[in-house]
Amino acid sequence: MNNPPSDEEKIEEIRMRTQRMADDKARIFELIPQVFPENRDEPKVRGRLTEVVEASGFTREYVARIRDGKVKPS
């Protein structure tokens, strides 16, 4: 029979998942500027901001600030 996880094991899982969230957020902040062609000196793609907003769940203003390098993950 399996014993339920101890409090220490749960705390370690919280620590691990918190780090995973931070890593995921950092990756999202890396990817957002990369999907805007104008950041690669290419023509803008109509509707790209909306696509990224829908994919990320962030506001338009926040995505634009990330795209422009004005916000870094905390």
Side-chain angles (χ1 to χ4, degrees):
M1 183 163 35
N2 289 341
N3 292 330
S6 68
D7 289 347
E8 290 75 20
E9 290 169 324
K10 290 175 185 174
I11 290 169
E12 185 54 38
E13 182 178 350
I14 291 168
R15 191 173 285 117
M16 177 198 66
R17 291 180 183 279
T18 300
Q19 183 60 52
R20 188 183 306 164
M21 287 182 346
D23 293 345
D24 287 346
K25 186 174 182 182
R27 180 64 177 149
I28 290 167
F29 275 63
E30 260 178 48
L31 289 171
I32 287 176
Q34 293 176 15
V35 299
F36 287 93
E38 60 267 30
N39 288 345
R40 300 186 304 264
D41 295 322
E42 298 172 6
K44 288 184 177 185
V45 172
R46 186 171 170 83
R48 181 57 48 92
L49 181 61
T50 300
E51 287 179 304
V52 176
V53 166
E54 290 172 357
S56 68
F58 297 148
T59 65
R60 293 178 68 79
E61 177 185 354
Y62 197 53
V63 169
R65 292 179 65 210
I66 296 167
R67 175 197 63 202
D68 298 341
K70 296 179 180 175
V71 177
K72 304 288 181 204
S74 49

